[in-house]
Amino acid sequence: FQAEDGIRDSVASRGLGDVYKRQLFTRLVAILAALWCSAALRAQMTSTVGVLAQTEQSYDGYTLLPVSALTTTYLINNCGESVHQWESAYKAGLMAYLMPNGDLIRAGKIGNTVFLAGGTGGILERFNWDGELEWSMQLSSDTACQHHDFAVMPNGHILALLWRSYPSERWVSEGRDPAKTSQQVWGTWIVEIDPDAPQSEAIVWSWEAIDHLVQSFDPNRPSFGSPDQHPGKLDVNYQAFGDDPDWLHVNSVAYHPELDQIMLSSRDFSELWVLDHSIPAELTSSDAGDLLYRWGNPASYDRGNLDDQAWFNQHDARWLDDGRIMVFSNGNDRPTGMLSSVEIINPPLTEEGTYTLDDENSWGPLGTDWRYPATLDESFFSQNTSGAQQLPNGNILITEGASGDVREVSLDQDILWRYVNPMGTFGAAVQGNIPVLNGVFRAERYAAAYPGLAGRHLTGNGVLEIDPFPQPCALNPEPSCPPDLNMNYLVDVGDLLSLLSGFGCTTGCGGQDLDGDGAVAVPDLLALLSVLGSPCPY
């Protein structure tokens, strides 16, 4: 009102005509009203995409986003700015990983018309940092198709997760109830691929679920037996339905190099399985290839009931550095409601690499060590995809996959960073709008000092969302090693030149004094030269 009075007085003092004065006054008031409304809307607007929360306690690094609906894989910093991206001819199928040399290995959806369940892929591709395709292998036919996930082993081999289809007659011959058998049923097939071998010889090891069955339906079949007496085998009639070919629906694969074991997550069985990879390829179909361990749902092998079930349609079973196991339990069939959780268990692992089990009880443990959220909350739910990664500082990066919501939480359950993927089927979302089909199968964060990133040009190229109201954001770099004077997590020529510029310093030498003796001299130079060209440990 004070502004209106001021305008009225100003107009009157100029001696303008009454009509013109009224028009000018009206226009000026309208402009002021528009500016006031704009400011009010800005103050009231709630961000819907991009970085929604960030703190200094968040682990600094770069997050890989394999967006399910896109052919592009993004690498973003903690301010949500794109620092790099890779382009493929295929949409995600579904996971992608960054290699220690900066290459990206990515699964693509090739368009298989037989395997139409969620997670279908069909091709693996390896791109270098510059986006050039270096290697690919198609894993798609009328009888088999790669899906969901894969794992890269230390020797560079790839463990790929495939469906393998067999006609109903094969499953019935294994003791499956014909009433629970569709015309084709897909089992789980794990193949180990040597990318350096000719593709006709690339599969060097494999394991199939159909070789490890038990059933109590048909006593005339060789697989007949009581599931509770054969806990290392899969009950071929458990979670079997006549109208569903996708039996088991395994959705993740992980590898533990010290144990030489493989871990799978079966959504339909609501449990994880551990396999012995040390079994020679020619023996994986024998009893020696039975499950070493399983957990999550003891009803699947008749040593429990619904009250004993701990996980519900989970994804992303992975080992933590301390030997424990973490999963994202989606919660679709949870009796208390559609509630997701991230949970950590401590498996009963022996020094020999086996898992303790008696003749009557289910595999331990009896409960979980940690769960997020501690109190289940209906606001935290993803009906599919999803996963969780423990970061080097102990925080947990959680992907609520269906909504593209990625959050970093402390072990005390505080949200330290949160990001909603703005990229979906119809492109980038406008800030303030709800993104459409923006799912992310599973985000992974890599330390700034990760060998594949150390020394790279990682300047932010702007946020991915269409953002008319950008929010201030600051990065909080993790400490680097002493010889990395230019803080790019790589000891390079820039660090050498920096040290030489201060060579001979005897007081106040700062970071150039690598050995802490108060001077920059030959010992500091030798210390730097000894690691020149190396990424800093992370």
CSV table of all heavy atoms in Angstrom, one decimal, residues 19-51:
chain,number,residue,atom,x,y,z
A,19,VAL,N,-6.9,10.6,-17.2
A,19,VAL,CA,-7.0,9.3,-17.8
A,19,VAL,C,-5.7,8.6,-17.9
A,19,VAL,O,-5.5,7.5,-17.6
A,19,VAL,CB,-7.7,9.4,-19.2
A,19,VAL,CG1,-7.7,8.0,-19.9
A,19,VAL,CG2,-9.1,9.9,-19.1
A,20,TYR,N,-4.7,9.4,-18.4
A,20,TYR,CA,-3.4,8.8,-18.6
A,20,TYR,C,-2.8,8.5,-17.2
A,20,TYR,O,-2.1,7.4,-17.0
A,20,TYR,CB,-2.4,9.8,-19.3
A,20,TYR,CG,-1.1,9.3,-19.5
A,20,TYR,CD1,-0.8,8.3,-20.5
A,20,TYR,CD2,0.0,9.7,-18.7
A,20,TYR,CE1,0.4,7.8,-20.8
A,20,TYR,CE2,1.3,9.2,-19.0
A,20,TYR,CZ,1.5,8.2,-20.0
A,20,TYR,OH,2.8,7.7,-20.2
A,21,LYS,N,-3.1,9.3,-16.2
A,21,LYS,CA,-2.6,9.0,-14.9
A,21,LYS,C,-3.2,7.7,-14.4
A,21,LYS,O,-2.5,6.9,-13.7
A,21,LYS,CB,-2.9,10.2,-14.0
A,21,LYS,CG,-2.0,11.4,-14.2
A,21,LYS,CD,-2.2,12.5,-13.1
A,21,LYS,CE,-3.4,13.3,-13.4
A,21,LYS,NZ,-3.5,14.5,-12.4
A,22,ARG,N,-4.5,7.6,-14.6
A,22,ARG,CA,-5.1,6.3,-14.1
A,22,ARG,C,-4.5,5.1,-14.8
A,22,ARG,O,-4.3,4.1,-14.2
A,22,ARG,CB,-6.6,6.4,-14.3
A,22,ARG,CG,-7.3,7.3,-13.3
A,22,ARG,CD,-8.8,7.1,-13.3
A,22,ARG,NE,-9.4,7.4,-14.6
A,22,ARG,CZ,-9.9,8.6,-14.9
A,22,ARG,NH1,-9.8,9.6,-14.1
A,22,ARG,NH2,-10.4,8.8,-16.1
A,23,GLN,N,-4.3,5.2,-16.1
A,23,GLN,CA,-3.7,4.1,-16.9
A,23,GLN,C,-2.3,3.7,-16.4
A,23,GLN,O,-2.0,2.6,-16.2
A,23,GLN,CB,-3.7,4.4,-18.4
A,23,GLN,CG,-5.1,4.5,-19.0
A,23,GLN,CD,-5.0,4.9,-20.5
A,23,GLN,OE1,-4.0,5.4,-20.9
A,23,GLN,NE2,-6.1,4.7,-21.2
A,24,LEU,N,-1.5,4.8,-16.2
A,24,LEU,CA,-0.1,4.5,-15.8
A,24,LEU,C,-0.1,3.9,-14.4
A,24,LEU,O,0.6,3.0,-14.1
A,24,LEU,CB,0.6,5.9,-15.8
A,24,LEU,CG,2.1,5.8,-15.3
A,24,LEU,CD1,2.9,4.8,-16.2
A,24,LEU,CD2,2.7,7.2,-15.3
A,25,PHE,N,-1.0,4.5,-13.5
A,25,PHE,CA,-1.1,4.0,-12.2
A,25,PHE,C,-1.5,2.5,-12.2
A,25,PHE,O,-0.9,1.7,-11.5
A,25,PHE,CB,-2.1,4.8,-11.4
A,25,PHE,CG,-2.3,4.3,-10.0
A,25,PHE,CD1,-1.4,4.4,-9.0
A,25,PHE,CD2,-3.5,3.6,-9.7
A,25,PHE,CE1,-1.7,3.9,-7.7
A,25,PHE,CE2,-3.8,3.1,-8.5
A,25,PHE,CZ,-2.9,3.2,-7.5
A,26,THR,N,-2.5,2.1,-13.0
A,26,THR,CA,-2.9,0.8,-13.0
A,26,THR,C,-1.9,-0.2,-13.5
A,26,THR,O,-1.7,-1.3,-13.0
A,26,THR,CB,-4.2,0.7,-14.0
A,26,THR,OG1,-5.2,1.5,-13.5
A,26,THR,CG2,-4.7,-0.8,-14.0
A,27,ARG,N,-1.1,0.2,-14.5
A,27,ARG,CA,-0.1,-0.6,-15.1
A,27,ARG,C,1.1,-0.8,-14.1
A,27,ARG,O,1.6,-1.9,-13.9
A,27,ARG,CB,0.5,0.0,-16.4
A,27,ARG,CG,-0.5,0.0,-17.5
A,27,ARG,CD,0.1,0.7,-18.7
A,27,ARG,NE,-0.8,0.7,-19.8
A,27,ARG,CZ,-0.6,1.3,-21.0
A,27,ARG,NH1,0.5,2.0,-21.2
A,27,ARG,NH2,-1.6,1.3,-21.9
A,28,LEU,N,1.4,0.2,-13.4
A,28,LEU,CA,2.5,0.1,-12.4
A,28,LEU,C,2.1,-0.8,-11.3
A,28,LEU,O,2.9,-1.6,-10.8
A,28,LEU,CB,2.9,1.5,-11.9
A,28,LEU,CG,3.7,2.4,-12.9
A,28,LEU,CD1,3.8,3.8,-12.3
A,28,LEU,CD2,5.0,1.8,-13.2
A,29,VAL,N,0.9,-0.7,-10.8
A,29,VAL,CA,0.4,-1.6,-9.8
A,29,VAL,C,0.4,-3.0,-10.2
A,29,VAL,O,0.7,-3.9,-9.5
A,29,VAL,CB,-1.0,-1.1,-9.3
A,29,VAL,CG1,-1.6,-2.2,-8.4
A,29,VAL,CG2,-0.9,0.2,-8.6
A,30,ALA,N,0.0,-3.3,-11.5
A,30,ALA,CA,0.0,-4.6,-12.0
A,30,ALA,C,1.4,-5.2,-12.1
A,30,ALA,O,1.6,-6.4,-11.8
A,30,ALA,CB,-0.7,-4.6,-13.4
A,31,ILE,N,2.3,-4.4,-12.5
A,31,ILE,CA,3.7,-4.8,-12.5
A,31,ILE,C,4.2,-5.2,-11.1
A,31,ILE,O,4.8,-6.3,-10.9
A,31,ILE,CB,4.6,-3.8,-13.1
A,31,ILE,CG1,4.3,-3.6,-14.6
A,31,ILE,CG2,6.1,-4.1,-12.9
A,31,ILE,CD1,5.0,-2.4,-15.3
A,32,LEU,N,3.9,-4.3,-10.1
A,32,LEU,CA,4.3,-4.6,-8.8
A,32,LEU,C,3.6,-5.9,-8.3
A,32,LEU,O,4.2,-6.7,-7.5
A,32,LEU,CB,4.0,-3.5,-7.9
A,32,LEU,CG,4.9,-2.2,-8.0
A,32,LEU,CD1,4.4,-1.1,-7.2
A,32,LEU,CD2,6.3,-2.6,-7.6
A,33,ALA,N,2.4,-6.1,-8.6
A,33,ALA,CA,1.7,-7.3,-8.1
A,33,ALA,C,2.3,-8.5,-8.7
A,33,ALA,O,2.4,-9.6,-8.1
A,33,ALA,CB,0.2,-7.2,-8.5
A,34,ALA,N,2.7,-8.5,-10.0
A,34,ALA,CA,3.3,-9.6,-10.7
A,34,ALA,C,4.6,-10.0,-10.0
A,34,ALA,O,4.9,-11.1,-9.8
A,34,ALA,CB,3.5,-9.3,-12.2
A,35,LEU,N,5.4,-8.9,-9.7
A,35,LEU,CA,6.7,-9.2,-9.1
A,35,LEU,C,6.5,-9.8,-7.7
A,35,LEU,O,7.2,-10.7,-7.3
A,35,LEU,CB,7.5,-7.8,-9.0
A,35,LEU,CG,8.0,-7.3,-10.3
A,35,LEU,CD1,8.6,-5.9,-10.0
A,35,LEU,CD2,9.0,-8.2,-10.9
A,36,TRP,N,5.5,-9.3,-7.0
A,36,TRP,CA,5.2,-9.8,-5.6
A,36,TRP,C,4.8,-11.3,-5.7
A,36,TRP,O,5.2,-12.1,-5.0
A,36,TRP,CB,4.1,-9.0,-5.0
A,36,TRP,CG,3.8,-9.5,-3.6
A,36,TRP,CD1,4.4,-9.1,-2.4
A,36,TRP,CD2,2.8,-10.4,-3.2
A,36,TRP,NE1,3.9,-9.8,-1.4
A,36,TRP,CE2,2.9,-10.6,-1.8
A,36,TRP,CE3,1.8,-11.1,-3.9
A,36,TRP,CZ2,2.0,-11.4,-1.1
A,36,TRP,CZ3,1.0,-12.0,-3.2
A,36,TRP,CH2,1.1,-12.1,-1.8
A,37,CYS,N,3.9,-11.6,-6.7
A,37,CYS,CA,3.5,-13.0,-6.9
A,37,CYS,C,4.6,-13.9,-7.3
A,37,CYS,O,4.7,-15.0,-6.8
A,37,CYS,CB,2.4,-13.1,-8.0
A,37,CYS,SG,0.8,-12.3,-7.4
A,38,SER,N,5.5,-13.4,-8.1
A,38,SER,CA,6.7,-14.2,-8.6
A,38,SER,C,7.5,-14.5,-7.4
A,38,SER,O,8.0,-15.7,-7.2
A,38,SER,CB,7.5,-13.5,-9.6
A,38,SER,OG,8.6,-14.2,-10.0
A,39,ALA,N,7.8,-13.5,-6.5
A,39,ALA,CA,8.6,-13.8,-5.3
A,39,ALA,C,7.9,-14.7,-4.4
A,39,ALA,O,8.6,-15.6,-3.8
A,39,ALA,CB,8.9,-12.4,-4.6
A,40,ALA,N,6.6,-14.6,-4.3
A,40,ALA,CA,5.9,-15.5,-3.4
A,40,ALA,C,5.9,-16.9,-3.9
A,40,ALA,O,6.1,-17.9,-3.1
A,40,ALA,CB,4.4,-15.0,-3.2
A,41,LEU,N,5.8,-17.1,-5.2
A,41,LEU,CA,5.8,-18.5,-5.8
A,41,LEU,C,7.2,-19.1,-5.6
A,41,LEU,O,7.4,-20.2,-5.3
A,41,LEU,CB,5.5,-18.4,-7.2
A,41,LEU,CG,4.0,-18.2,-7.6
A,41,LEU,CD1,3.8,-18.0,-9.1
A,41,LEU,CD2,3.1,-19.4,-7.0
A,42,ARG,N,8.3,-18.2,-5.8
A,42,ARG,CA,9.6,-18.7,-5.6
A,42,ARG,C,9.8,-19.2,-4.1
A,42,ARG,O,10.4,-20.2,-3.9
A,42,ARG,CB,10.6,-17.6,-5.9
A,42,ARG,CG,12.1,-18.0,-5.7
A,42,ARG,CD,13.0,-16.8,-5.8
A,42,ARG,NE,13.1,-16.4,-7.2
A,42,ARG,CZ,14.0,-16.8,-8.1
A,42,ARG,NH1,14.9,-17.6,-7.6
A,42,ARG,NH2,14.0,-16.3,-9.3
A,43,ALA,N,9.3,-18.4,-3.2
A,43,ALA,CA,9.5,-18.7,-1.8
A,43,ALA,C,8.7,-20.0,-1.5
A,43,ALA,O,9.1,-20.8,-0.6
A,43,ALA,CB,9.0,-17.6,-0.9
A,44,GLN,N,7.6,-20.2,-2.1
A,44,GLN,CA,6.7,-21.4,-1.8
A,44,GLN,C,7.1,-22.6,-2.6
A,44,GLN,O,6.7,-23.7,-2.2
A,44,GLN,CB,5.3,-21.0,-2.1
A,44,GLN,CG,4.7,-19.9,-1.2
A,44,GLN,CD,3.3,-19.5,-1.6
A,44,GLN,OE1,2.7,-20.2,-2.4
A,44,GLN,NE2,2.8,-18.5,-1.0
A,45,MET,N,7.9,-22.5,-3.7
A,45,MET,CA,8.1,-23.7,-4.5
A,45,MET,C,9.0,-24.7,-3.8
A,45,MET,O,10.0,-24.4,-3.2
A,45,MET,CB,8.8,-23.2,-5.8
A,45,MET,CG,8.8,-24.3,-6.9
A,45,MET,SD,9.9,-23.9,-8.3
A,45,MET,CE,11.5,-24.3,-7.7
A,46,THR,N,8.6,-25.9,-3.9
A,46,THR,CA,9.3,-27.1,-3.4
A,46,THR,C,10.0,-27.8,-4.5
A,46,THR,O,9.3,-28.2,-5.5
A,46,THR,CB,8.4,-28.0,-2.6
A,46,THR,OG1,7.7,-27.3,-1.5
A,46,THR,CG2,9.2,-29.2,-2.1
A,47,SER,N,11.3,-28.0,-4.4
A,47,SER,CA,12.0,-28.7,-5.4
A,47,SER,C,11.5,-30.1,-5.5
A,47,SER,O,11.3,-30.8,-4.5
A,47,SER,CB,13.5,-28.7,-5.1
A,47,SER,OG,14.0,-27.4,-5.2
A,48,THR,N,11.4,-30.6,-6.7
A,48,THR,CA,10.9,-32.0,-6.9
A,48,THR,C,11.9,-32.9,-7.6
A,48,THR,O,11.8,-34.1,-7.5
A,48,THR,CB,9.6,-32.0,-7.8
A,48,THR,OG1,10.0,-31.3,-9.0
A,48,THR,CG2,8.5,-31.3,-7.1
A,49,VAL,N,12.9,-32.3,-8.2
A,49,VAL,CA,14.0,-33.1,-8.9
A,49,VAL,C,15.3,-32.5,-8.6
A,49,VAL,O,15.5,-31.4,-8.1
A,49,VAL,CB,13.7,-33.2,-10.4
A,49,VAL,CG1,12.5,-34.0,-10.7
A,49,VAL,CG2,13.6,-31.7,-11.0
A,50,GLY,N,16.4,-33.3,-8.9
A,50,GLY,CA,17.7,-32.8,-8.7
A,50,GLY,C,18.1,-33.0,-7.2
A,50,GLY,O,17.5,-33.8,-6.5
A,51,VAL,N,19.1,-32.2,-6.8
A,51,VAL,CA,19.5,-32.3,-5.4
A,51,VAL,C,18.5,-31.7,-4.5
A,51,VAL,O,18.2,-30.5,-4.5
A,51,VAL,CB,20.9,-31.6,-5.2
A,51,VAL,CG1,21.3,-31.6,-3.7
A,51,VAL,CG2,22.0,-32.3,-6.0
